[in-house]
Amino acid sequence: MRLVLLGGPGAGKGTQARLIAARLGIPHVATGELLRAAGRADTGIGRQLRGYLDKGALVPDETVVELTRERLKEPDAGRGFVLDGFPRTLAQAEQLDLMLEQQEVQLDYSVVVQVPEDELVKRLSGRRTCRQCGAMYHVGFRPPRVAGVCDVCGGELYLRSDDTEQTVRRRLELYREQATPLLDYYRRQGVLLAVDGLGSAEIVEQRIALALAGNHQSRPDRDRRARMA
Ligand code: AMP
């Protein structure tokens, strides 16, 4: 299964992508994580990337597309993947389709996790991320067992430089601008599934699983039926 997860920053894309990927036995590909790893390098490119990441600004399409292309070429992505954080622009969505076309495969679904903006601000400013494995917590809603320490790997939890309130507002603004054309793009292709993102991670995961199960036809079958209708 080849999936894209969409949703505002803090909508739970990362958590859901991780859960779906584990359930389906396919890799979770998070461009934010790939970029943060590349940005840690003490090189010119590393410094340039940190400039974008710290401000919450979008990294140029060519850079992200190239990074994603390389990741999706790895053997583990052959059976499918869950993309998280990509595409964020229409140009990236078109490039993704081209990439998949070259591999003679297609995206199955684009799942949008819907959460109101006020809730997103609350969630992000309390979010803590593990430096080592990327697992996410919330100081109020989902605290770790030991404050500041990751339950999964024991790594240090930190407040991402782009999770401060000012940057969160900027990221939400950006998402608002970028999401509409992306959602339209996938709606036109007939692959968009909208899921309510309020509630616990487990409940949202169930909603996504139900939505995917209720639309279990393969993409070629759906395309054929759409042509015949
Ligand atoms: P995320 O972890 O998905 O919230 O992404 C963190 C940051 O990485 C974003 O605020 C952007 O600066 C950058 N980023 C991640 N994915 C993309 C993308 N597809 N296009 C451009 N920038 C991205």
Side-chain angles (χ1 to χ4, degrees):
M1 175 105 63
R2 292 174 184 84
L3 292 177
V4 158
L5 271 195
L6 299 175
K13 289 191 307 287
T15 306
Q16 292 304 324
R18 225 177 272 277
L19 292 170
I20 302 171
R23 189 161 47 79
L24 299 178
I26 51 181
H28 164 210
V29 177
T31 44
E33 276 173 28
L34 295 177
L35 288 165
R36 278 189 290 279
R40 279 195 281 273
D42 194 15
T43 58
I45 292 175
R47 269 187 293 279
Q48 253 180 20
L49 284 177
R50 285 199 293 279
Y52 294 108
L53 294 168
D54 288 348
K55 286 201 289 278
L58 285 189
V59 172
D61 285 343
E62 309 83 71
T63 310
V64 193
V65 166
E66 210 34 53
L67 203 71
T68 309
R69 188 195 310 283
E70 287 308 309
R71 178 62 188 89
L72 295 187
K73 270 195 211 153
E74 286 178 29
D76 65 341
R79 286 192 312 117
F81 50 77
V82 183
L83 268 175
D84 157 21
F86 183 93
R88 264 185 165 85
T89 64
L90 200 52
Q92 291 179 12
E94 288 166 353
Q95 286 298 318
L96 174 63
D97 278 347
L98 276 179
M99 260 180 239
L100 296 178
E101 208 177 296
Q102 280 160 7
Q103 296 181 16
E104 299 184 356
V105 294
Q106 279 183 312
L107 193 70
D108 290 293
Y109 291 106
S110 179
V111 179
V112 56
V113 182
Q114 294 178 314
V115 175
E117 264 192 35
D118 290 356
E119 172 73 15
L120 293 180
V121 175
K122 255 193 275 170
R123 287 186 183 184
L124 284 175
S125 36
R127 183 159 85 169
R128 297 293 180 273
T129 306
C130 174
R131 252 185 224 291
Q132 223 159 273
C133 74
M136 280 181 276
Y137 300 84
H138 190 281
V139 288
F141 314 132
R142 189 172 178 258
R145 282 194 294 270
V146 178
V149 180
C150 177
D151 292 349
V152 181
C153 73
E156 179 201 354
L157 302 185
Y158 76 115
L159 175 70
R160 262 170 50 178
S161 54
D162 56 351
D163 279 347
T164 56
E165 184 157 348
Q166 199 187 5
T167 315
V168 164
R169 298 253 170 228
R170 192 187 142 69
R171 286 164 68 200
L172 283 173
E173 223 175 86
L174 248 179
Y175 175 70
R176 236 179 288 135
E177 276 168 31
Q178 309 265 336
T180 311
L182 262 186
L183 296 180
D184 286 347
Y185 180 78
Y186 286 124
R187 197 174 291 117
R188 275 198 306 274
Q189 289 194 3
V191 296
L192 188 69
L193 295 177
V195 172
D196 176 5
L198 284 177
S200 70
E202 292 72 23
I203 287 176
V204 178
E205 187 199 3
Q206 275 176 21
R207 287 188 197 130
I208 295 179
L210 275 174
L212 291 175
N215 289 273
H216 57 272
Q217 287 172 331
S218 70
R219 175 91 183 260
D221 284 348
R222 273 183 280 149
D223 288 352
R224 209 172 306 121
R225 285 179 65 152
R227 275 198 303 275
M228 281 160 59

PDB file of all heavy atoms in Angstrom, residues 133-170:
ATOM      1  N   CYS A 133      14.984   8.791  18.656  1.00  0.00           N
ATOM      2  CA  CYS A 133      14.141   7.959  17.778  1.00  0.00           C
ATOM      3  C   CYS A 133      12.971   8.721  17.178  1.00  0.00           C
ATOM      4  O   CYS A 133      12.229   8.168  16.371  1.00  0.00           O
ATOM      5  CB  CYS A 133      13.637   6.717  18.517  1.00  0.00           C
ATOM      6  SG  CYS A 133      12.325   7.078  19.719  1.00  0.00           S
ATOM      7  N   GLY A 134      12.774   9.991  17.542  1.00  0.00           N
ATOM      8  CA  GLY A 134      11.707  10.794  16.924  1.00  0.00           C
ATOM      9  C   GLY A 134      10.330  10.564  17.537  1.00  0.00           C
ATOM     10  O   GLY A 134       9.364  11.186  17.103  1.00  0.00           O
ATOM     11  N   ALA A 135      10.208   9.684  18.558  1.00  0.00           N
ATOM     12  CA  ALA A 135       8.895   9.452  19.178  1.00  0.00           C
ATOM     13  C   ALA A 135       8.392  10.767  19.785  1.00  0.00           C
ATOM     14  O   ALA A 135       9.187  11.607  20.205  1.00  0.00           O
ATOM     15  CB  ALA A 135       8.999   8.391  20.275  1.00  0.00           C
ATOM     16  N   MET A 136       7.034  10.930  19.784  1.00  0.00           N
ATOM     17  CA  MET A 136       6.495  12.197  20.258  1.00  0.00           C
ATOM     18  C   MET A 136       5.620  12.046  21.491  1.00  0.00           C
ATOM     19  O   MET A 136       4.910  11.061  21.632  1.00  0.00           O
ATOM     20  CB  MET A 136       5.729  12.858  19.142  1.00  0.00           C
ATOM     21  CG  MET A 136       6.681  13.557  18.191  1.00  0.00           C
ATOM     22  SD  MET A 136       5.838  14.370  16.877  1.00  0.00           S
ATOM     23  CE  MET A 136       5.627  13.036  15.766  1.00  0.00           C
ATOM     24  N   TYR A 137       5.685  13.075  22.365  1.00  0.00           N
ATOM     25  CA  TYR A 137       4.918  13.083  23.617  1.00  0.00           C
ATOM     26  C   TYR A 137       4.246  14.443  23.743  1.00  0.00           C
ATOM     27  O   TYR A 137       4.536  15.367  22.980  1.00  0.00           O
ATOM     28  CB  TYR A 137       5.868  12.859  24.803  1.00  0.00           C
ATOM     29  CG  TYR A 137       6.599  11.540  24.712  1.00  0.00           C
ATOM     30  CD1 TYR A 137       7.767  11.419  23.966  1.00  0.00           C
ATOM     31  CD2 TYR A 137       6.084  10.404  25.330  1.00  0.00           C
ATOM     32  CE1 TYR A 137       8.415  10.199  23.840  1.00  0.00           C
ATOM     33  CE2 TYR A 137       6.723   9.187  25.215  1.00  0.00           C
ATOM     34  CZ  TYR A 137       7.885   9.093  24.470  1.00  0.00           C
ATOM     35  OH  TYR A 137       8.510   7.875  24.357  1.00  0.00           O
ATOM     36  N   HIS A 138       3.382  14.563  24.749  1.00  0.00           N
ATOM     37  CA  HIS A 138       2.803  15.873  25.046  1.00  0.00           C
ATOM     38  C   HIS A 138       2.815  16.043  26.556  1.00  0.00           C
ATOM     39  O   HIS A 138       2.404  15.116  27.271  1.00  0.00           O
ATOM     40  CB  HIS A 138       1.379  15.972  24.506  1.00  0.00           C
ATOM     41  CG  HIS A 138       0.841  17.367  24.584  1.00  0.00           C
ATOM     42  ND1 HIS A 138       0.347  17.911  25.743  1.00  0.00           N
ATOM     43  CD2 HIS A 138       0.750  18.342  23.643  1.00  0.00           C
ATOM     44  CE1 HIS A 138      -0.036  19.160  25.514  1.00  0.00           C
ATOM     45  NE2 HIS A 138       0.193  19.441  24.246  1.00  0.00           N
ATOM     46  N   VAL A 139       3.294  17.216  27.002  1.00  0.00           N
ATOM     47  CA  VAL A 139       3.452  17.400  28.441  1.00  0.00           C
ATOM     48  C   VAL A 139       2.120  17.219  29.180  1.00  0.00           C
ATOM     49  O   VAL A 139       2.095  16.759  30.324  1.00  0.00           O
ATOM     50  CB  VAL A 139       4.088  18.771  28.802  1.00  0.00           C
ATOM     51  CG1 VAL A 139       5.558  18.813  28.443  1.00  0.00           C
ATOM     52  CG2 VAL A 139       3.365  19.918  28.117  1.00  0.00           C
ATOM     53  N   GLY A 140       0.996  17.572  28.530  1.00  0.00           N
ATOM     54  CA  GLY A 140      -0.310  17.437  29.170  1.00  0.00           C
ATOM     55  C   GLY A 140      -1.035  16.149  28.810  1.00  0.00           C
ATOM     56  O   GLY A 140      -1.490  15.417  29.683  1.00  0.00           O
ATOM     57  N   PHE A 141      -1.155  15.871  27.502  1.00  0.00           N
ATOM     58  CA  PHE A 141      -2.015  14.771  27.047  1.00  0.00           C
ATOM     59  C   PHE A 141      -1.327  13.408  27.007  1.00  0.00           C
ATOM     60  O   PHE A 141      -1.975  12.373  27.092  1.00  0.00           O
ATOM     61  CB  PHE A 141      -2.567  15.032  25.631  1.00  0.00           C
ATOM     62  CG  PHE A 141      -3.107  16.418  25.420  1.00  0.00           C
ATOM     63  CD1 PHE A 141      -2.748  17.159  24.302  1.00  0.00           C
ATOM     64  CD2 PHE A 141      -3.979  16.971  26.344  1.00  0.00           C
ATOM     65  CE1 PHE A 141      -3.250  18.441  24.102  1.00  0.00           C
ATOM     66  CE2 PHE A 141      -4.495  18.248  26.153  1.00  0.00           C
ATOM     67  CZ  PHE A 141      -4.124  18.979  25.041  1.00  0.00           C
ATOM     68  N   ARG A 142      -0.021  13.412  26.765  1.00  0.00           N
ATOM     69  CA  ARG A 142       0.659  12.116  26.627  1.00  0.00           C
ATOM     70  C   ARG A 142       2.074  12.217  27.191  1.00  0.00           C
ATOM     71  O   ARG A 142       3.066  12.173  26.460  1.00  0.00           O
ATOM     72  CB  ARG A 142       0.703  11.748  25.133  1.00  0.00           C
ATOM     73  CG  ARG A 142       1.195  10.328  24.893  1.00  0.00           C
ATOM     74  CD  ARG A 142       1.043   9.904  23.432  1.00  0.00           C
ATOM     75  NE  ARG A 142       1.568   8.570  23.279  1.00  0.00           N
ATOM     76  CZ  ARG A 142       2.763   8.284  22.765  1.00  0.00           C
ATOM     77  NH1 ARG A 142       3.552   9.240  22.321  1.00  0.00           N
ATOM     78  NH2 ARG A 142       3.164   7.035  22.687  1.00  0.00           N
ATOM     79  N   PRO A 143       2.159  12.402  28.526  1.00  0.00           N
ATOM     80  CA  PRO A 143       3.497  12.594  29.103  1.00  0.00           C
ATOM     81  C   PRO A 143       4.289  11.288  29.102  1.00  0.00           C
ATOM     82  O   PRO A 143       3.697  10.202  29.162  1.00  0.00           O
ATOM     83  CB  PRO A 143       3.192  13.032  30.544  1.00  0.00           C
ATOM     84  CG  PRO A 143       1.823  12.522  30.833  1.00  0.00           C
ATOM     85  CD  PRO A 143       1.091  12.425  29.532  1.00  0.00           C
ATOM     86  N   PRO A 144       5.618  11.387  29.031  1.00  0.00           N
ATOM     87  CA  PRO A 144       6.425  10.170  29.137  1.00  0.00           C
ATOM     88  C   PRO A 144       6.386   9.664  30.577  1.00  0.00           C
ATOM     89  O   PRO A 144       5.999  10.411  31.484  1.00  0.00           O
ATOM     90  CB  PRO A 144       7.824  10.663  28.771  1.00  0.00           C
ATOM     91  CG  PRO A 144       7.813  12.110  29.157  1.00  0.00           C
ATOM     92  CD  PRO A 144       6.425  12.601  28.930  1.00  0.00           C
ATOM     93  N   ARG A 145       6.788   8.409  30.804  1.00  0.00           N
ATOM     94  CA  ARG A 145       6.762   7.870  32.178  1.00  0.00           C
ATOM     95  C   ARG A 145       7.700   8.666  33.084  1.00  0.00           C
ATOM     96  O   ARG A 145       7.375   8.983  34.214  1.00  0.00           O
ATOM     97  CB  ARG A 145       7.138   6.376  32.171  1.00  0.00           C
ATOM     98  CG  ARG A 145       5.975   5.488  31.731  1.00  0.00           C
ATOM     99  CD  ARG A 145       6.257   4.038  32.044  1.00  0.00           C
ATOM    100  NE  ARG A 145       7.369   3.516  31.261  1.00  0.00           N
ATOM    101  CZ  ARG A 145       7.230   2.949  30.062  1.00  0.00           C
ATOM    102  NH1 ARG A 145       6.039   2.798  29.538  1.00  0.00           N
ATOM    103  NH2 ARG A 145       8.282   2.511  29.406  1.00  0.00           N
ATOM    104  N   VAL A 146       8.896   8.983  32.551  1.00  0.00           N
ATOM    105  CA  VAL A 146       9.849   9.805  33.326  1.00  0.00           C
ATOM    106  C   VAL A 146      10.005  11.115  32.556  1.00  0.00           C
ATOM    107  O   VAL A 146      10.280  11.092  31.347  1.00  0.00           O
ATOM    108  CB  VAL A 146      11.222   9.093  33.415  1.00  0.00           C
ATOM    109  CG1 VAL A 146      12.224   9.957  34.179  1.00  0.00           C
ATOM    110  CG2 VAL A 146      11.059   7.714  34.044  1.00  0.00           C
ATOM    111  N   ALA A 147       9.822  12.264  33.251  1.00  0.00           N
ATOM    112  CA  ALA A 147       9.866  13.562  32.565  1.00  0.00           C
ATOM    113  C   ALA A 147      11.177  13.721  31.787  1.00  0.00           C
ATOM    114  O   ALA A 147      12.260  13.452  32.321  1.00  0.00           O
ATOM    115  CB  ALA A 147       9.719  14.680  33.581  1.00  0.00           C
ATOM    116  N   GLY A 148      11.074  14.108  30.525  1.00  0.00           N
ATOM    117  CA  GLY A 148      12.260  14.406  29.719  1.00  0.00           C
ATOM    118  C   GLY A 148      12.953  13.200  29.125  1.00  0.00           C
ATOM    119  O   GLY A 148      13.972  13.334  28.443  1.00  0.00           O
ATOM    120  N   VAL A 149      12.392  11.980  29.383  1.00  0.00           N
ATOM    121  CA  VAL A 149      13.072  10.766  28.900  1.00  0.00           C
ATOM    122  C   VAL A 149      12.102   9.943  28.043  1.00  0.00           C
ATOM    123  O   VAL A 149      10.963   9.689  28.435  1.00  0.00           O
ATOM    124  CB  VAL A 149      13.574   9.896  30.088  1.00  0.00           C
ATOM    125  CG1 VAL A 149      14.284   8.646  29.577  1.00  0.00           C
ATOM    126  CG2 VAL A 149      14.496  10.706  30.985  1.00  0.00           C
ATOM    127  N   CYS A 150      12.571   9.502  26.864  1.00  0.00           N
ATOM    128  CA  CYS A 150      11.726   8.734  25.943  1.00  0.00           C
ATOM    129  C   CYS A 150      11.417   7.339  26.497  1.00  0.00           C
ATOM    130  O   CYS A 150      12.325   6.623  26.921  1.00  0.00           O
ATOM    131  CB  CYS A 150      12.451   8.611  24.599  1.00  0.00           C
ATOM    132  SG  CYS A 150      11.554   7.627  23.394  1.00  0.00           S
ATOM    133  N   ASP A 151      10.110   6.973  26.492  1.00  0.00           N
ATOM    134  CA  ASP A 151       9.703   5.636  26.960  1.00  0.00           C
ATOM    135  C   ASP A 151      10.264   4.538  26.069  1.00  0.00           C
ATOM    136  O   ASP A 151      10.530   3.430  26.518  1.00  0.00           O
ATOM    137  CB  ASP A 151       8.166   5.476  26.890  1.00  0.00           C
ATOM    138  CG  ASP A 151       7.447   6.363  27.885  1.00  0.00           C
ATOM    139  OD1 ASP A 151       8.117   6.932  28.767  1.00  0.00           O
ATOM    140  OD2 ASP A 151       6.212   6.479  27.763  1.00  0.00           O
ATOM    141  N   VAL A 152      10.412   4.856  24.775  1.00  0.00           N
ATOM    142  CA  VAL A 152      10.782   3.823  23.801  1.00  0.00           C
ATOM    143  C   VAL A 152      12.273   3.500  23.876  1.00  0.00           C
ATOM    144  O   VAL A 152      12.661   2.333  23.970  1.00  0.00           O
ATOM    145  CB  VAL A 152      10.425   4.283  22.354  1.00  0.00           C
ATOM    146  CG1 VAL A 152      10.783   3.212  21.327  1.00  0.00           C
ATOM    147  CG2 VAL A 152       8.956   4.661  22.251  1.00  0.00           C
ATOM    148  N   CYS A 153      13.119   4.562  23.847  1.00  0.00           N
ATOM    149  CA  CYS A 153      14.555   4.284  23.712  1.00  0.00           C
ATOM    150  C   CYS A 153      15.402   4.933  24.799  1.00  0.00           C
ATOM    151  O   CYS A 153      16.626   4.798  24.787  1.00  0.00           O
ATOM    152  CB  CYS A 153      15.040   4.733  22.327  1.00  0.00           C
ATOM    153  SG  CYS A 153      15.146   6.513  22.177  1.00  0.00           S
ATOM    154  N   GLY A 154      14.780   5.682  25.716  1.00  0.00           N
ATOM    155  CA  GLY A 154      15.566   6.326  26.787  1.00  0.00           C
ATOM    156  C   GLY A 154      16.244   7.612  26.339  1.00  0.00           C
ATOM    157  O   GLY A 154      16.984   8.228  27.109  1.00  0.00           O
ATOM    158  N   GLY A 155      15.994   8.038  25.081  1.00  0.00           N
ATOM    159  CA  GLY A 155      16.630   9.262  24.568  1.00  0.00           C
ATOM    160  C   GLY A 155      16.089  10.510  25.268  1.00  0.00           C
ATOM    161  O   GLY A 155      15.067  10.465  25.961  1.00  0.00           O
ATOM    162  N   GLU A 156      16.778  11.632  25.016  1.00  0.00           N
ATOM    163  CA  GLU A 156      16.376  12.900  25.648  1.00  0.00           C
ATOM    164  C   GLU A 156      15.213  13.522  24.867  1.00  0.00           C
ATOM    165  O   GLU A 156      15.221  13.541  23.633  1.00  0.00           O
ATOM    166  CB  GLU A 156      17.586  13.857  25.622  1.00  0.00           C
ATOM    167  CG  GLU A 156      17.319  15.209  26.220  1.00  0.00           C
ATOM    168  CD  GLU A 156      18.310  16.268  25.731  1.00  0.00           C
ATOM    169  OE1 GLU A 156      19.263  15.906  25.008  1.00  0.00           O
ATOM    170  OE2 GLU A 156      18.104  17.445  26.072  1.00  0.00           O
ATOM    171  N   LEU A 157      14.187  14.022  25.595  1.00  0.00           N
ATOM    172  CA  LEU A 157      13.064  14.685  24.928  1.00  0.00           C
ATOM    173  C   LEU A 157      13.344  16.185  24.863  1.00  0.00           C
ATOM    174  O   LEU A 157      13.840  16.760  25.826  1.00  0.00           O
ATOM    175  CB  LEU A 157      11.764  14.438  25.690  1.00  0.00           C
ATOM    176  CG  LEU A 157      11.371  12.982  25.887  1.00  0.00           C
ATOM    177  CD1 LEU A 157      10.003  12.888  26.562  1.00  0.00           C
ATOM    178  CD2 LEU A 157      11.348  12.224  24.557  1.00  0.00           C
ATOM    179  N   TYR A 158      13.013  16.810  23.719  1.00  0.00           N
ATOM    180  CA  TYR A 158      13.264  18.247  23.603  1.00  0.00           C
ATOM    181  C   TYR A 158      12.111  18.940  22.878  1.00  0.00           C
ATOM    182  O   TYR A 158      11.289  18.284  22.230  1.00  0.00           O
ATOM    183  CB  TYR A 158      14.595  18.499  22.889  1.00  0.00           C
ATOM    184  CG  TYR A 158      14.569  18.281  21.388  1.00  0.00           C
ATOM    185  CD1 TYR A 158      14.773  19.343  20.503  1.00  0.00           C
ATOM    186  CD2 TYR A 158      14.333  17.023  20.848  1.00  0.00           C
ATOM    187  CE1 TYR A 158      14.748  19.156  19.143  1.00  0.00           C
ATOM    188  CE2 TYR A 158      14.311  16.828  19.474  1.00  0.00           C
ATOM    189  CZ  TYR A 158      14.510  17.898  18.624  1.00  0.00           C
ATOM    190  OH  TYR A 158      14.477  17.708  17.268  1.00  0.00           O
ATOM    191  N   LEU A 159      12.064  20.274  23.029  1.00  0.00           N
ATOM    192  CA  LEU A 159      11.071  21.086  22.329  1.00  0.00           C
ATOM    193  C   LEU A 159      11.697  21.462  20.994  1.00  0.00           C
ATOM    194  O   LEU A 159      12.728  22.144  20.963  1.00  0.00           O
ATOM    195  CB  LEU A 159      10.756  22.349  23.143  1.00  0.00           C
ATOM    196  CG  LEU A 159       9.830  23.367  22.482  1.00  0.00           C
ATOM    197  CD1 LEU A 159       8.412  22.836  22.382  1.00  0.00           C
ATOM    198  CD2 LEU A 159       9.820  24.677  23.271  1.00  0.00           C
ATOM    199  N   ARG A 160      11.114  20.998  19.905  1.00  0.00           N
ATOM    200  CA  ARG A 160      11.683  21.306  18.590  1.00  0.00           C
ATOM    201  C   ARG A 160      11.721  22.816  18.388  1.00  0.00           C
ATOM    202  O   ARG A 160      10.814  23.523  18.791  1.00  0.00           O
ATOM    203  CB  ARG A 160      10.818  20.670  17.505  1.00  0.00           C
ATOM    204  CG  ARG A 160      11.376  19.354  17.028  1.00  0.00           C
ATOM    205  CD  ARG A 160      10.423  18.627  16.152  1.00  0.00           C
ATOM    206  NE  ARG A 160       9.879  19.443  15.060  1.00  0.00           N
ATOM    207  CZ  ARG A 160       9.035  18.969  14.147  1.00  0.00           C
ATOM    208  NH1 ARG A 160       8.652  17.708  14.207  1.00  0.00           N
ATOM    209  NH2 ARG A 160       8.571  19.740  13.196  1.00  0.00           N
ATOM    210  N   SER A 161      12.791  23.307  17.722  1.00  0.00           N
ATOM    211  CA  SER A 161      12.952  24.759  17.571  1.00  0.00           C
ATOM    212  C   SER A 161      11.771  25.345  16.791  1.00  0.00           C
ATOM    213  O   SER A 161      11.494  26.535  16.881  1.00  0.00           O
ATOM    214  CB  SER A 161      14.260  25.069  16.859  1.00  0.00           C
ATOM    215  OG  SER A 161      14.311  24.357  15.643  1.00  0.00           O
ATOM    216  N   ASP A 162      11.043  24.508  16.024  1.00  0.00           N
ATOM    217  CA  ASP A 162       9.912  25.047  15.261  1.00  0.00           C
ATOM    218  C   ASP A 162       8.575  24.769  15.949  1.00  0.00           C
ATOM    219  O   ASP A 162       7.526  24.931  15.355  1.00  0.00           O
ATOM    220  CB  ASP A 162       9.909  24.536  13.818  1.00  0.00           C
ATOM    221  CG  ASP A 162       9.911  23.021  13.717  1.00  0.00           C
ATOM    222  OD1 ASP A 162      10.079  22.358  14.765  1.00  0.00           O
ATOM    223  OD2 ASP A 162       9.738  22.503  12.610  1.00  0.00           O
ATOM    224  N   ASP A 163       8.608  24.333  17.209  1.00  0.00           N
ATOM    225  CA  ASP A 163       7.355  24.135  17.947  1.00  0.00           C
ATOM    226  C   ASP A 163       7.069  25.278  18.925  1.00  0.00           C
ATOM    227  O   ASP A 163       6.210  25.171  19.785  1.00  0.00           O
ATOM    228  CB  ASP A 163       7.379  22.796  18.720  1.00  0.00           C
ATOM    229  CG  ASP A 163       7.048  21.604  17.820  1.00  0.00           C
ATOM    230  OD1 ASP A 163       6.564  21.836  16.694  1.00  0.00           O
ATOM    231  OD2 ASP A 163       7.261  20.468  18.254  1.00  0.00           O
ATOM    232  N   THR A 164       7.812  26.391  18.817  1.00  0.00           N
ATOM    233  CA  THR A 164       7.519  27.533  19.681  1.00  0.00           C
ATOM    234  C   THR A 164       6.276  28.235  19.118  1.00  0.00           C
ATOM    235  O   THR A 164       5.986  28.119  17.925  1.00  0.00           O
ATOM    236  CB  THR A 164       8.686  28.528  19.682  1.00  0.00           C
ATOM    237  OG1 THR A 164       8.923  28.891  18.330  1.00  0.00           O
ATOM    238  CG2 THR A 164       9.941  27.902  20.260  1.00  0.00           C
ATOM    239  N   GLU A 165       5.549  28.996  19.991  1.00  0.00           N
ATOM    240  CA  GLU A 165       4.233  29.476  19.561  1.00  0.00           C
ATOM    241  C   GLU A 165       4.295  30.319  18.276  1.00  0.00           C
ATOM    242  O   GLU A 165       3.493  30.127  17.364  1.00  0.00           O
ATOM    243  CB  GLU A 165       3.544  30.249  20.688  1.00  0.00           C
ATOM    244  CG  GLU A 165       2.146  30.650  20.235  1.00  0.00           C
ATOM    245  CD  GLU A 165       1.165  30.917  21.350  1.00  0.00           C
ATOM    246  OE1 GLU A 165       1.460  30.579  22.509  1.00  0.00           O
ATOM    247  OE2 GLU A 165       0.100  31.456  21.024  1.00  0.00           O
ATOM    248  N   GLN A 166       5.298  31.225  18.194  1.00  0.00           N
ATOM    249  CA  GLN A 166       5.386  32.101  17.017  1.00  0.00           C
ATOM    250  C   GLN A 166       5.586  31.275  15.743  1.00  0.00           C
ATOM    251  O   GLN A 166       4.936  31.517  14.724  1.00  0.00           O
ATOM    252  CB  GLN A 166       6.564  33.058  17.229  1.00  0.00           C
ATOM    253  CG  GLN A 166       6.495  34.262  16.343  1.00  0.00           C
ATOM    254  CD  GLN A 166       7.769  35.080  16.462  1.00  0.00           C
ATOM    255  OE1 GLN A 166       8.729  34.673  17.153  1.00  0.00           O
ATOM    256  NE2 GLN A 166       7.787  36.207  15.811  1.00  0.00           N
ATOM    257  N   THR A 167       6.476  30.297  15.817  1.00  0.00           N
ATOM    258  CA  THR A 167       6.755  29.478  14.636  1.00  0.00           C
ATOM    259  C   THR A 167       5.560  28.587  14.311  1.00  0.00           C
ATOM    260  O   THR A 167       5.253  28.350  13.148  1.00  0.00           O
ATOM    261  CB  THR A 167       8.025  28.623  14.866  1.00  0.00           C
ATOM    262  OG1 THR A 167       9.001  29.450  15.445  1.00  0.00           O
ATOM    263  CG2 THR A 167       8.548  28.050  13.583  1.00  0.00           C
ATOM    264  N   VAL A 168       4.868  28.125  15.361  1.00  0.00           N
ATOM    265  CA  VAL A 168       3.682  27.294  15.140  1.00  0.00           C
ATOM    266  C   VAL A 168       2.656  28.071  14.320  1.00  0.00           C
ATOM    267  O   VAL A 168       2.087  27.560  13.355  1.00  0.00           O
ATOM    268  CB  VAL A 168       3.071  26.859  16.491  1.00  0.00           C
ATOM    269  CG1 VAL A 168       1.657  26.336  16.313  1.00  0.00           C
ATOM    270  CG2 VAL A 168       3.942  25.790  17.149  1.00  0.00           C
ATOM    271  N   ARG A 169       2.429  29.350  14.678  1.00  0.00           N
ATOM    272  CA  ARG A 169       1.458  30.174  13.943  1.00  0.00           C
ATOM    273  C   ARG A 169       1.868  30.276  12.475  1.00  0.00           C
ATOM    274  O   ARG A 169       1.053  30.184  11.579  1.00  0.00           O
ATOM    275  CB  ARG A 169       1.365  31.579  14.537  1.00  0.00           C
ATOM    276  CG  ARG A 169       0.897  31.560  15.956  1.00  0.00           C
ATOM    277  CD  ARG A 169      -0.541  32.064  16.090  1.00  0.00           C
ATOM    278  NE  ARG A 169      -1.037  31.806  17.429  1.00  0.00           N
ATOM    279  CZ  ARG A 169      -2.200  31.266  17.721  1.00  0.00           C
ATOM    280  NH1 ARG A 169      -3.032  30.917  16.761  1.00  0.00           N
ATOM    281  NH2 ARG A 169      -2.573  31.067  18.961  1.00  0.00           N
ATOM    282  N   ARG A 170       3.174  30.461  12.227  1.00  0.00           N
ATOM    283  CA  ARG A 170       3.665  30.597  10.863  1.00  0.00           C
ATOM    284  C   ARG A 170       3.461  29.292  10.095  1.00  0.00           C
ATOM    285  O   ARG A 170       3.064  29.281   8.936  1.00  0.00           O
ATOM    286  CB  ARG A 170       5.163  30.933  10.933  1.00  0.00           C
ATOM    287  CG  ARG A 170       5.728  31.370   9.631  1.00  0.00           C
ATOM    288  CD  ARG A 170       7.233  31.520   9.688  1.00  0.00           C
ATOM    289  NE  ARG A 170       7.795  31.056   8.424  1.00  0.00           N
ATOM    290  CZ  ARG A 170       7.635  31.687   7.300  1.00  0.00           C
ATOM    291  NH1 ARG A 170       6.982  32.814   7.240  1.00  0.00           N
ATOM    292  NH2 ARG A 170       8.137  31.187   6.176  1.00  0.00           N
TER     293      ARG A 170
END
